[in-house]
Every structure is written in structure tokens, then in C-alpha cells.
Amino acid sequence: ATDQGTDSPTNNFATLNPLWTPTTSGTEEANLTLSDPASGWSWKPATIMPSAGKWYAEFKSGNGSDPIYTNFGVVPYASFPYIEDETIGAGSSSEAESVGYDKGGTVIKGDSTQYSGTSYGYDDIVCIAVDLDNRAVYFRKNGSAWENSGDPTSGASKTGAVALSSTLSDWSICPSSTQKVHCNYGGGCAYAISSGNADGNGYGNFEYAPPSGYLALCTKNLGSD
């Protein structure tokens, strides 16, 4: 039942982009699972990369044994060539604008800790809300409160958010990992959804409800950005 999605020619949901191959990373499950890398870190961007609007996605670590090493977050297109075998949020220079939430709960940007939040494990779902109108990103573990007392609906005040570059465009919400991870952009995923929550436009199927005003990454929603 999990191996099916709602994607169609009239409404195409984001997946991981299998054509981006700077490293040993691969994809599985209709490009919704990042494969185990042969060595080091693996990552791939999403196929839909907005520059405006408010967007929501969920991620879950795959099966395995501790320790897990993952960073879920956002990467601007300008940083893509510099991520490669690194983690989202790590590094400096052209990579510095990416922001990642690691398994220990640390949120980093440009190799600098922004705040220390809640750790997560294999059974947890990481929720990411990206406000590209106000250039802010928010994280949470499962259905708990947003990390750093964040409020994705706070708009320009960016309460509890990590600020994003005001000049860079084409942002990808995506994973980096040393192990298998699963992505849910709303059109399907490789794990069972027990709750079922759509965005405010009625699109997507998520475990947890997107914040008010935040949408699934799909072509029907692109006109809403």
C-alpha cells in the first residue's frame, strides 16, 4: 500500500532528482528514497526548487543500526556543486548558505551552530517548513513544537527561524546522509502514513499537518507562491 502515489501529468510532485550525480549517491522507491552511499555522505536535490512561497516536506531515516548520520534541510542552487560529499549546513564559502538539522538536534548554517534542538532517530519524522517570502526555515521532530520555539506563521519576524539568503534563488528541501533516508514531498513515500494531512489547497499526504499557508511541492501549487 505504501508503493503508490498520487502523481499525475496534471499534478506532478517533487522527488529527489536522479540526474544530479556528483557523488556515489543513488535513489530508490520512485526517487523518494536516498540510497546508502558506497562511502561517505550522499545527497540529492529535489526536482522542484522554488524561489518564493511557503513550502512543507517530511523526511525519515531508513532502516539501520546506530549511529545514524543525517542532515535534513535546504540548499540554494548556487551551493549544489560545493555540497558533494559534505553535509547540508556544513562548509563555508559558496556552501555556507545551506542550513541543516542533524540527528543530534544541532541546526547548522555555514558550519556554524544556529541553535541546539531535539535529537531524532529512525522512528522519527523530521518536518521542514520553508518560508521563501520572508527567507526563513523551521524544523520540528514529529508533531512536537517547532524547534527553537519557532513559529512558521510569524512572517517577517521569523520567530525561532534560521534566516536564509535574500539574494539566492532555487531552493531545494532535501536530505544528506551516510545511510538510507526517505522523503515525502506530498505525492507519496516509502513508509506508511498513519494520519494523512493535506495542505491548505487540498494537495499532498503527510503524517503531520503543514503549518497554515505552507504547501506541498507540486506543480498545482506553483502558482500559489
Side-chain angles (χ1 to χ4, degrees):
T2 59
D3 283 341
Q4 53 184 293
T6 57
D7 203 72
S8 74
T10 58
N11 193 17
N12 185 239
F13 284 83
T15 68
L16 296 176
N17 189 343
L19 301 180
W20 184 263
T21 56
T23 66
T24 57
S25 60
T27 61
E28 304 172 9
E29 300 285 351
N31 300 319
L32 291 171
T33 295
L34 185 67
S35 302
D36 291 296
S39 62
W41 285 78
S42 173
W43 90 285
K44 283 194 183 296
T47 53
I48 297 177
M49 301 181 299
S51 294
K54 299 177 181 180
W55 308 97
Y56 177 81
E58 295 178 346
F59 300 89
K60 186 176 184 179
S61 298
N63 295 328
S65 58
D66 283 334
I68 62 172
Y69 295 99
T70 57
N71 268 40
F72 301 119
V74 290
V75 183
Y77 179 74
S79 295
F80 282 13
Y82 305 94
I83 299 291
E84 304 237 344
D85 295 316
E86 300 292 337
T87 64
I88 295 173
S92 57
S93 185
S94 297
E95 191 183 343
E97 295 299 335
S98 65
V99 181
Y101 174 29
D102 74 20
K103 62 103 176 182
T106 301
V107 173
I108 57 174
K109 175 185 177 182
D111 237 4
S112 175
T113 297
Q114 304 298 296
Y115 60 82
S116 296
T118 308
S119 63
Y120 57 84
Y122 283 113
D123 294 328
D124 296 315
I125 293 175
V126 171
C127 309
I128 302 178
V130 184
D131 181 350
L132 292 177
D133 295 332
N134 296 291
R135 299 293 167 146
V137 59
Y138 305 82
F139 301 94
R140 77 177 176 192
K141 169 185 171 180
N142 300 321
S144 58
W146 292 90
E147 297 294 313
N148 201 38
S149 300
D151 179 6
T153 66
S154 60
S157 67
K158 306 179 187 180
T159 303
V162 175
L164 302 177
S165 167
S166 61
T167 59
L168 296 178
S169 60
D170 301 327
W171 289 83
S172 176
I173 311 174
C174 57
S176 64
S177 179
T178 62
Q179 293 163 323
K180 186 176 297 187
V181 293
H182 307 300
C183 310
N184 184 6
Y185 294 107
C189 59
Y191 56 90
I193 300 294
S194 60
S195 298
N197 294 278
D199 65 23
N201 289 341
Y203 300 121
N205 182 28
F206 298 103
E207 184 65 43
Y208 301 102
S212 178
Y214 286 75
L215 305 175
L217 278 167
C218 64
T219 53
K220 286 283 190 181
N221 280 334
L222 290 180
S224 301
D225 64 8

